[in-house]
Every structure is written in C-alpha cells, then in structure tokens.
Amino acid sequence: MSLPLKLDRLDDLPRAPASDVKKLGWRGVMRTVAREGRLAVTNHNLPEAVILSADEYDAILRALAAAGAPERSALEELRARFDERLAALQAADAGARLRAVMDAPATLDGKVRAGRPG
C-alpha cells in the first residue's frame, strides 16, 4: 500500500513531546504514525526528530528518484560522451593519431580535428 506523497512543513506535522512518547511507549507512537503517516517528536516544544511510516518513507524515496531521473539521464549522457572521448585517447593508435594531427598543415578549413574520436 502506498500513501500519496504530501510533504508538510516541519511546523505543520503532528507533534508529540518526548515525554508523551515515553509515556505512550512505542505502540502509542506507532498508532499515531499509522494514522498520520509521520510524527514530529519535540523536546521543549522544538522538533528533534520525525518518525515516518515505512510506506511514507518509501513514497518519499520514490518521489526523489523520479524527480532526479532527468538529471541522472543528462549526467549519464555526459558521462558516456566523456568515456567515448577518453577511450579514443587511450586507444593503441592514439599517439600516432595525435602526431598526425600535429604534423598536418595548420589549415583546418573551419573544422575541429582534435578532440573527436576516430
């Protein structure tokens, strides 16, 4: 079962003082977490910890993964291009190709000759 992802501000979360947590015990805390999805535990009215249900935690992780997917795709594409260029520099004939580029006449006809594989 998956809860819809709804991220509240820390001040808007249901709260329980640490003393109540001690009085209610783990079962009492977990009843609140099961009902609310999350619980801010306070000490002197300041939030110290947030307890999440496993479903809530999983929903947050899935939402973060989905939100980061486009960045990962762009990063993976950039990494692939870098690896391709690095492989060209590490090829057995890389030295010979570099010497050929350096020994060739300086006329490039508007084309870049260095920095491309092959």
Side-chain angles (χ1 to χ4, degrees):
M1 177 177 118
S2 178
L3 296 175
L5 182 62
K6 181 180 146 247
L7 297 176
D8 296 322
R9 293 175 352 123
L10 188 57
D11 292 337
D12 297 335
L13 292 177
R15 292 174 168 232
S19 59
D20 283 359
V21 171
K22 186 175 181 180
K23 277 191 278 184
L24 296 173
W26 187 247
R27 284 187 182 180
V29 170
M30 291 314 296
R31 268 189 234 110
T32 304
V33 171
R35 186 176 57 252
E36 302 289 340
R38 58 198 86 139
L39 177 69
V41 179
T42 61
N43 187 18
H44 299 289
N45 209 29
L46 295 174
E48 283 200 337
V50 176
I51 301 173
L52 303 172
S53 69
D55 287 340
E56 186 75 15
Y57 181 77
D58 187 50
I60 290 171
L61 289 181
R62 281 186 276 111
L64 288 172
E71 288 83 15
R72 275 197 305 276
S73 296
L75 181 60
E76 288 169 1
E77 182 180 331
L78 183 61
R79 183 176 289 130
R81 287 178 28 215
F82 175 81
D83 289 345
E84 181 181 316
R85 289 183 178 195
L86 183 61
L89 292 174
Q90 293 176 335
D93 66 339
R97 284 188 294 121
L98 180 58
R99 279 189 288 286
V101 167
M102 298 304 282
D103 292 341
T107 325
L108 298 177
D109 299 322
K111 297 180 183 175
V112 176
R113 294 179 61 183
R116 284 189 284 151

